[in-house]
Amino acid sequence: MKTIEQIINLIEQQKSFVLEAGAGSGKTYTLIQTINYLIEKKGNDIKFRNQKIVCITYTNVAKNEILERLENNSIVLVSTIHEFLWSCIKPYNKQLVIELDKLNTLKHNINPDKFQLGLIDRITEVLYDDSSYREFEKGQLHHDDVITLSKQMFECYPLLSKMIADKFPYILVDEYQDTAVETISALINSLLQNNKKNLLMGFYGDSYQKIYDTGVGSLQPFVEKDKLSLVTKEENYRSSENVVKLLNKIRSNINQKIPNDVKRKKGNVTFINCVNRPKGSKEKVLDYENSLIPQKEEDFSKVVQKLESHGWNFGEDSEDKILIITNNRVAQRAGFGDLYKIFSMRYGEGANEALLKRQNAFSSFFIGSIDKKTSKERDVGIEHLISYWLKKNYNNVFQFLKRNSRTSTSSLSLNAHSDKKKIRDSIEILNTLCISNTVINVFNYVLENSLLFLPKYIVDFQNKIDVDIASIEDNENRERIQKDKKFYNDLMHLPYIQFRNLFEHIQNHTVFSTKHGTKGEEYRNVLLIIDDTSWKQKYNFQNFLNDTEGDKERKLRTQNLFYVSCSRAKENLVILSLSEMNQEAMSKIREWFIDGAVYSIDEYLVHT
């Protein structure tokens, strides 16, 4: 029975379900099929009752893709999880204030049954938007708070969950594995459990593609408790025969197959194990690992050259890609390593969103951002202006200044020589500064010459850190401002060229990508770089392969990263281990790559 037929049977039986679908299986297509079935068979009833089908996505990119496929049908509400949950609880401000007071009390490690901090007496409204930062004293929520408060509201006010179920009889969740544990609990244990007769939920995703630490991962416990029915999708429409065989070795709960009507190449899978010099008995670990870097760089370069001689293309916008385990390694290779380190020290794992996804006011000021509603590039950064100038796209230069700067562009004319000279001189000086000076020099020049508006958030940020630390009584607030001060000072004294290198990277002008940039993407050929010295706390491939990993979370994280990265290849996959694997790990590699090839670095360079 086809996957969609299984889902339809469950819908007709009013049974909620989870679709476990491997990489390249066409999961989103099945999700669209489900929605179209509901529109066709249940649409009239849904319209008559003034209800909507809800499709919850993990990102705005996915949201816009689904909206486009559905042609914006009016009875389907496509929303990110934060948008949906906030829309459910926002109307009930009185209850929100009460629950926020409880959350604030718990946050300060105080028993809410005995004492509350009194937000009820100090705030009148709870606020949230997608750029919010947490400030409970003003009723301002962060993303994570929306999820926590929704769970509290669903649990404490059963009538609320009934009203939601009456309004939204079908709720479908895309990429369920990345949905927060609290969200899953709120949806299944509170919302669904209390409204099983008039609410049906469907969860679409793949537990092996969980790559964010906050995600629930697997919904198998809910299947085992009969809260959800399991549907599996075994097709693989993306990868070659040997890549699919490798993927089936890595995972155990689905055995993927290439559909009979799909023609796929046999493809090649290759593993290359580098040889590292032995560690000296008195040598410090960090000194030893640093000493290996030149050899690793040389091995990497030689493998890239070898692949290029075999027809791989690592040029701009190429079909082939180099996937590297961590963002910091990509940043180093792409020339913005120090910039990434500064964001990592301030934002931790949120550095990816703040810098690479440009959800930070400073990163967007210099290199633009992505419109969250349309997922399109917002050309509002300094690098966009310079890029237009270097490409001699003078009309775009003029339009950029008109939209984004305080210059008197209304009186400027592209036909006037004096105006063109004024623009030319200022941008050429700016470009020179970007190449040879620090961020603060570029920042000040842009402001002094009114080339770009200074966003309110940056003004507020500067005002916030322009205080005497000693005068701040609250320890948590003092520590946060100290971190912000250090972040600002370190950022401003960095060579600006790192922002330009980052701009080139995010515009896909480099060949590198990371685990966070790979999900949902596919490439003709993939070179996957693994190195167990890259991020020891998060991943360890040797211990995963030889089955000695004692940290369950790290083992799962490593397994999923390996699976997701390998699954991006459509034709050929080469895995280069820059840190030498031991014999036990190589034994597993030879078992998995039985239809491929396993080499030492020297064997590969000489015999292929």
Side-chain angles (χ1 to χ4, degrees), residues 57 69 100 107 153 177 204 223 229 277 331 415 489 549 557 601 604:
T57 64
R69 292 201 198 186
L100 180 59
K107 183 172 175 285
M153 292 280 282
Q177 72 277 357
Y204 297 71
V223 174
S229 297
R277 71 168 180 82
N415 295 320
N489 290 330
E549 179 58 74
R557 204 182 290 122
I601 180 71
Y604 178 77

Side-chain angles (χ1 to χ4, degrees), residues 74 80 197 224 275 323 387 428 460 508 540 557:
S74 62
T80 64
K197 290 185 179 180
E224 293 170 357
V275 178
L323 303 185
S387 176
E428 287 188 349
D460 292 342
N508 204 28
N540 191 301
R557 204 182 290 122

Side-chain angles (χ1 to χ4, degrees), residues 23-26 233 235-239 257-259 261-262 264:
S25 64
K233 187 170 175 59
E235 299 89 346
N236 186 306
Y237 293 93
R238 175 190 297 154
S239 299
K257 300 170 186 175
I258 298 175
D261 59 343
V262 175
R264 284 289 173 207

Side-chain angles (χ1 to χ4, degrees), residues 274 276 296 299-300 333 529-531 576-580:
C274 291
N276 301 149
K296 290 180 179 182
D299 290 341
F300 168 78
R333 291 191 181 278
I529 309 297
I530 61 177
D531 183 352
L576 173 62
S577 177
L578 292 175
S579 56
E580 185 175 2

Side-chain angles (χ1 to χ4, degrees), residues 474-490:
D474 182 76
N475 290 335
E476 184 178 345
N477 192 34
R478 187 191 309 119
E479 183 180 340
R480 184 170 64 248
I481 291 177
Q482 284 176 325
K483 288 181 178 179
D484 285 341
K485 275 180 174 283
K486 177 173 174 49
F487 166 75
Y488 183 81
N489 290 330
D490 289 349

